[in-house]
């Protein structure tokens, strides 16, 4: 095991997973800036932010691969190695979805519409809140371990996961609103403009969906 990884596992059984999640969060934190540049129609700025997101996603992959290569077979935890790797994959999917947003953003300048961009801004805020809640849950897993998976701590984690689900549901409702607006306007649009907006909406929403899936994976992880 590398010295870097040994230190992480020595610090906390979840230390490497938390470091990975922090890198995932760096990907997510660039989404508001990406959406801002998309609204302004600044293709060069969109491309620059997209490149930064792609690099951070790559960095998250590097951490993920190091964890997979160095994860001890025995961690003396009431959870299995396979469970930990499943959580890691679920975390990494959030960064993957953020990179998908970045790729889609570079494909076509979005047709301007004030109401659509207002709704998109709302959706991005909700996506961010959902992803950040996922990050907070991962950061607090140490307390669960230190309590030996006590009923009190498990109840707290379950409550946070439920909150995560509610946040994702709110994002879903905004996705529905913006999709309806695109359909209303799209009757008079060229097909590429319609499909560009639909793809952007879907990829942003997929970030929140990935965060909720990670929460659901953690739910089974802590239910012992």
């Amino acid at each position: 095991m590398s010295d870097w990884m040994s230190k992480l596992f020595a610090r906390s059984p979840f230390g490497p997973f938390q470091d990975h999640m922090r890198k995932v969060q760096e990907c997510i934190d660039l989404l508001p800036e990406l959406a801002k540049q998309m609204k302004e129609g600044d293709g060069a700025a969109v491309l620059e932010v997209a490149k930064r997101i792609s690099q951070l996603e790559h960095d998250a992959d590097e951490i993920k691969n190091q964890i997979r290569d160095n994860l001890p077979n025995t961690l003396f935890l009431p959870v299995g190695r396979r469970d930990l790797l499943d959580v890691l994959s679920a975390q990494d999917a959030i960064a993957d979805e953020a990179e998908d947003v970045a790729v889609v953003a570079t494909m076509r300048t979005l047709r301007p519409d004030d109401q659509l961009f207002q709704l998109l801004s709302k959706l991005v805020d909700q996506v961010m809140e959902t992803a950040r809640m996922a990050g907070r849950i991962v950061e607090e897993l140490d307390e669960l371990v230190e309590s030996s998976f006590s009923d009190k701590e498990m109840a707290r984690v379950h409550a946070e996961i439920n909150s995560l689900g509610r946040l994702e549901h709110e994002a879903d409702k905004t996705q529905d609103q913006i999709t309806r607006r695109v359909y209303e306007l799209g009757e008079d649009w060229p097909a590429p403009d319609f499909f560009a907006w639909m793809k952007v909406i879907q990829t942003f929403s997929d970030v929140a969906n990935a965060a909720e899936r990670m929460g659901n994976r953690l739910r089974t992880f802590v239910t012992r």
Side-chain angles (χ1 to χ4, degrees), residues 21 90 93-94 127 130-132 134 164 168 206-216:
M21 190 63 187
I94 302 173
V127 167
T130 305
R132 285 169 178 163
L164 177 61
E168 191 277 335
D206 284 344
V207 176
N209 294 338
E212 185 192 29
R213 286 194 297 271
M214 193 211 79
N216 288 334

Side-chain angles (χ1 to χ4, degrees), residues 133 137 140-141 144 149-166 215-224:
M133 172 61 81
I137 294 171
E140 294 170 1
L141 288 178
L144 184 64
F149 283 68
S150 70
D151 290 342
K152 179 180 178 181
E153 283 300 311
M154 284 201 294
R156 178 184 62 78
V157 173
H158 276 291
E160 291 179 338
I161 293 171
N162 289 338
S163 294
L164 177 61
R166 286 191 292 272
N216 288 334
R217 188 65 198 86
L218 281 172
R219 187 190 302 278
T220 61
F221 177 87
V222 302
T223 303
R224 302 290 164 184

Side-chain angles (χ1 to χ4, degrees), residues 8-9 11-22 67 142:
L8 284 177
F9 278 113
R11 184 186 73 201
S12 158
F14 289 110
F17 296 85
Q18 291 165 336
D19 276 25
H20 175 262
M21 190 63 187
R22 289 171 195 138
I67 292 172
D142 287 343

